[in-house]
Amino acid sequence: MGMSAALRFTISATIAVCAVLAPPAAAQDRDTERALLERIVEIPTVAGRGEMPRLIALLRTELTGAGFDAFHVRPHGDTETLIARRNADRPSGEGAILLMAHMDVVDADPDDWQNPPFEFREEDGYYLGRGVVDNKAGLTGLVLALQRLEASDFAADRDLIVLFTGDEETLQNGARLAASEWRELIDAEIALNSDGGGGSVFRDGRVEGFFVQLAEKTYADFRFRATNRGGHSSRPRADNAIYQLAHALGAVERHRFPHQLNDATRASYEALAENDGGYYGQLVRAWLDDPDNDERADLIEALEPGQTRTRCVATQISGGHAPNALPQSAEATVNCRIFPGTPTEEILETLQRLAGQHVEVTMMEGSGAWSDPSPIDDELFAAYREAVAIHFPDAPIIPFMSAGATDAIFTRGAGIPTYGIGGTWTIAGEPVGAHGLDERILADAFHGSIDIWESLLRTVAGAR
């Protein structure tokens, strides 16, 4: 979820980060907000543990306090997805707004962490615990903002729907089914995904930007498999399955897919070229002026991997059955992040050509969901800019394409324009540990995100 280094901006704020924050919420409110985040983080919603019903029961109670009264819990596999609706107070006839988050988290080995991963704690201005960044701060901040609205004079002019999925980190069947079999439950004019954006600032007060995900790459895994007759290792032959697989993977490593641009990446690069007067900004500006220039595209890709083209990389490998036997089979997984609009069949054909006649390439189950970029929504961007200004006046709002995968790929694919929007922010260059060790989020960023979500929703869904 963190923004990449090449998207860093040199826009200077006039005062330090700590000084541009809005006045903090009352201590009692802050304690209440922290307590809910703690409860949610300490439910270990990891695949296979059976903890999702406990979190859903908690969220149903919290959402009831936010005015939601229509709940649908849909089991799938070994998990569940929650869909809920709050009807408009003064219906305007405009379509519903879908609010997205995921409830599941990546597993964590307690032996690797300094403290138990599912033990919430506060340290040096951060909240720590597995999933606090990805995506439980977004989930909790969204729920708390909805509760604030319900407790105020807020009157919605359109329905609000929440889609909280239970397997975003694994199979993504919650989003896949919501966008297909359960489509009538999430029918909306626009979707805001708390898992797809957010801000980045420097400790000296400069603001990188707050980023809105308009697009994401297609996720696809391909199996490379070489097979032959094997035999005794004392009589080696040229048709060795491990060598054949190694040659195929080497060809993938050397291959460069053609560079591409779409509306999301062009908008990102245009903003970068406008605000970065250094070498990278000049390089980007030169490439935008001459987008067919291979050399400039390659330089940008070297500095910003994954943004200019499809990328494929070997991620798993296995082979052989005994140390003293020629291998009868060897196989590897190649993970591809495919530039939007590129057919997966085209990538499969390219990989098979690279692998050669002795290695079979097949696309693995669960791969290939894709969508076109969502259009830039000027009204939404203006509302987000106004909300972010509560804490960071004049922060740039930057569209981008994500190289990683979120549930938005399915809602976009179902025809719902979806925007990855986050209320939290990070300190540029400081790790947050998402999917890694000692995951953490700035405490002020979590509490500030509630302000941002409340303001944004009051603008886009409030009766006018």
Side-chain angles (χ1 to χ4, degrees):
M1 234 171 45
M3 296 303 108
S4 56
L7 289 177
R8 293 183 180 170
F9 288 79
T10 56
I11 298 174
S12 296
T14 58
I15 40 183
V17 171
C18 60
V20 299
L21 297 179
Q28 184 177 3
D29 293 340
R30 192 175 175 99
D31 289 346
T32 300
E33 294 162 1
R34 181 192 187 281
L36 181 59
L37 180 61
E38 179 175 2
R39 291 179 67 190
I40 288 176
V41 168
E42 291 195 343
I43 299 176
T45 47
V46 172
R49 293 202 191 182
E51 293 280 5
M52 199 61 71
R54 186 154 67 103
L55 179 53
I56 287 178
L58 171 60
L59 290 172
R60 285 188 64 153
T61 299
E62 297 297 327
L63 286 169
T64 298
F68 288 74
D69 57 10
F71 294 91
H72 304 272
V73 178
R74 291 288 189 263
H76 49 96
D78 64 355
T79 189
E80 296 175 338
T81 285
L82 172 64
I83 303 172
R85 180 182 289 265
R86 180 193 188 279
N87 290 325
D89 301 292
R90 301 174 189 169
S92 64
E94 293 185 90
I97 298 175
L98 180 65
L99 305 172
M100 299 170 62
H102 66 87
M103 302 177 289
D104 61 315
V105 301
V106 171
D107 207 350
D109 186 345
D111 293 337
D112 294 336
W113 284 53
Q114 295 181 18
N115 297 88
F118 292 100
E119 180 183 281
F120 183 89
R121 65 193 188 282
E122 185 171 356
E123 179 181 295
D124 298 329
Y126 284 88
Y127 293 143
L128 290 89
R130 168 53 90 224
V132 70
V133 169
D134 192 10
N135 173 232
K136 288 187 172 177
L139 171 72
T140 309
L142 190 52
V143 170
L144 287 165
L146 290 166
Q147 290 179 346
R148 280 193 193 174
L149 290 172
E150 183 66 13
S152 71
D153 59 355
F154 174 72
D157 69 357
R158 51 208 300 186
D159 291 0
L160 297 173
I161 306 169
V162 299
L163 171 63
F164 295 162
T165 57
D167 62 349
E168 192 271 349
E169 299 290 7
T170 53
L171 298 175
Q172 292 190 287
N173 282 330
R176 183 180 287 106
L177 290 166
S180 55
E181 295 181 22
W182 314 331
R183 180 67 168 79
E184 71 281 358
L185 296 178
I186 68 159
D187 192 31
E189 184 175 311
I190 190 174
L192 308 179
N193 182 18
S194 69
D195 188 38
S200 181
V201 303
F202 292 98
R203 283 202 175 274
D204 65 5
R206 291 177 297 135
V207 181
E208 284 194 299
F210 275 72
F211 299 84
V212 180
Q213 186 212 64
L214 295 186
E216 61 187 78
K217 285 183 161 183
T218 302
Y219 179 103
D221 289 320
F222 296 88
R223 179 179 290 110
F224 281 49
R225 182 174 175 81
T227 58
N228 56 48
R229 53 188 171 143
H232 202 285
S233 62
S234 66
R235 298 177 62 84
R237 300 187 313 275
D239 60 343
N240 184 301
I242 290 177
Y243 292 157
Q244 291 166 340
L245 179 64
H247 294 322
L249 296 179
V252 173
E253 179 188 16
R254 293 185 296 272
H255 182 71
R256 303 285 288 174
F257 288 91
H259 59 265
Q260 296 173 269
L261 274 171
N262 61 24
D263 290 344
T265 57
R266 179 177 287 278
S268 295
Y269 286 130
E270 286 175 348
L272 176 58
E274 179 181 351
N275 293 290
D276 188 331
Y279 167 75
Y280 192 78
Q282 295 172 15
L283 175 62
V284 167
R285 191 175 299 107
W287 185 46
L288 291 176
D289 290 340
D290 182 15
D292 294 326
N293 189 299
D294 294 337
E295 182 179 357
R296 289 172 184 160
D298 287 347
L299 286 171
I300 291 172
E301 180 65 21
L303 295 169
E304 180 58 28
Q307 287 298 301
T308 68
R309 67 195 69 212
T310 295
R311 294 296 296 266
C312 294
V313 60
T315 54
Q316 293 178 305
I317 191 166
S318 63
H321 59 282
N324 58 350
L326 299 176
Q328 295 172 358
S329 66
E331 67 177 51
T333 299
V334 171
N335 174 249
C336 294
R337 307 298 176 122
I338 303 170
F339 204 89
T342 303
T344 53
E345 295 79 10
E346 180 180 312
I347 302 302
L348 176 59
E349 291 174 3
T350 298
L351 293 177
Q352 184 62 76
R353 175 176 55 79
L354 294 170
Q357 61 179 335
H358 300 300
V359 176
E360 180 187 23
V361 181
T362 57
M363 189 164 69
M364 298 169 68
E365 184 179 359
S367 299
W370 69 277
S371 67
D372 291 322
S374 298
I376 292 177
D377 187 319
D378 292 333
E379 290 186 8
L380 175 64
F381 275 48
Y384 187 43
R385 183 177 293 105
E386 180 181 349
V388 168
I390 295 172
H391 294 286
F392 298 100
D394 302 319
I397 306 301
I398 310 299
F400 79 105
M401 178 187 73
S402 171
T406 73
D407 283 337
I409 197 80
F410 299 101
T411 50
R412 284 195 190 97
I416 302 174
T418 304
Y419 302 89
I421 285 184
T424 63
W425 60 88
T426 62
I427 301 298
E430 297 187 9
V432 296
H435 291 205
L437 300 179
D438 300 314
E439 190 171 349
R440 65 189 61 214
I441 190 168
L442 284 165
D444 286 342
F446 165 66
H447 295 286
S449 74
I450 305 166
D451 304 328
I452 292 173
W453 273 114
E454 179 187 7
S455 173
L456 177 63
L457 293 175
R458 190 177 292 277
T459 300
V460 300
R464 293 176 285 278

